[in-house]
């Protein structure tokens, strides 16, 4: 509420100044086209996801951690990572939260990785819990984007639980 009120007051003040000749105000949107370069490590990750449906992690030779998504250097120690390797597609929920509208977001640590990724947890009827086992659901038509992973769904365990 406060931010909306401040923005409205700022617009009204700008209009008053414009009427006095101090400024010209044009309301509306601005379209700014851009291109994003993912970089070498992220590009390898996205190409493997698109072409092979495989998720890659980057091993750090110094920390011995496997970073997911793939990165060119370790953010903890700064060491250059070695050749990426496959991780997942199954993993473990390490944290989650419910959003308005029933959507659930979770931090998932993929098997073979030491870091977690934030993504949607699918199947709204599930009672999610930390430690739940999940598997990535990939789009049928992948384009080399992170959205090629639709989200993570419960992994059927022996006994039928998530």
């Amino acid at each position: 509420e406060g931010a909306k009120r401040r923005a409205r007051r700022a617009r009204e003040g700008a209009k008053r100044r414009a009427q006095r000749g101090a400024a010209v105000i044009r309301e509306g949107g601005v379209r700014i086209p851009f291109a994003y370069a993912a970089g070498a490590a992220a590009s390898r990750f996205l190409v493997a996801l698109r072409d092979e449906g495989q998720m890659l992690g980057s091993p750090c030779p110094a920390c011995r951690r496997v970073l997911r998504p793939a990165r060119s250097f370790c953010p903890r120690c700064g060491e250059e990572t070695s050749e990426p390797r496959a991780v997942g597609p199954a993993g473990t929920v390490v944290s989650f939260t419910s959003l308005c509208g029933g959507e659930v977001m979770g931090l998932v640590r993929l098997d073979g990785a030491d870091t977690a990724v934030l993504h949607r947890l699918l199947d709204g009827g599930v009672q999610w819990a930390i430690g739940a086992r999940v598997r990535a659901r990939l789009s049928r038509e992948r384009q080399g984007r992170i959205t090629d992973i639709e989200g993570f769904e419960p992994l059927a365990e022996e006994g039928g639980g998530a």
Side-chain angles (χ1 to χ4, degrees):
E1 276 308 307
K4 287 181 182 178
R5 198 172 350 187
R6 285 190 301 276
R8 187 181 69 244
R9 274 190 259 147
R11 280 194 305 272
E12 291 168 358
K15 285 180 183 178
R16 283 192 302 274
R17 287 189 298 279
Q19 290 169 352
R20 290 184 302 220
V24 176
I25 304 297
R26 179 185 179 273
E27 289 194 34
V30 177
R31 185 168 168 7
I32 302 174
F34 70 95
Y36 170 74
S43 293
R44 281 193 300 270
F45 171 83
L46 294 170
V47 167
L49 183 61
R50 181 192 65 203
D51 295 350
E52 301 158 28
Q54 187 176 63
M55 289 174 272
L56 299 178
S58 298
C60 174
C63 296
R64 303 239 187 268
R65 296 184 324 144
V66 177
L67 310 166
R68 193 282 179 198
R71 299 179 184 176
S72 7
F73 68 92
C74 176
R76 181 182 283 172
C77 70
E79 186 76 22
E80 189 174 318
T81 58
S82 38
E83 275 303 305
R85 67 176 181 217
V87 295
T92 304
V93 174
V94 295
S95 183
F96 66 95
T97 189
S98 297
L99 305 177
C100 296
E103 190 170 31
V104 179
M105 299 296 288
L107 281 173
V108 176
R109 183 179 301 119
L110 293 173
D111 295 345
D114 295 301
T115 57
V117 61
L118 178 67
H119 217 303
R120 293 182 335 152
L121 298 180
L122 306 172
D123 191 0
V126 170
Q127 286 294 106
W128 291 104
I130 293 173
R133 296 287 295 156
V134 293
R135 181 178 197 84
R137 182 187 335 165
L138 302 180
S139 299
R140 288 191 179 152
E141 294 185 29
R142 297 186 295 272
Q143 301 174 11
R145 300 178 178 167
I146 195 64
T147 53
D148 290 349
I149 303 170
E150 293 178 357
F152 289 86
E153 54 195 356
L155 189 60
E157 304 262 344
E158 292 179 2

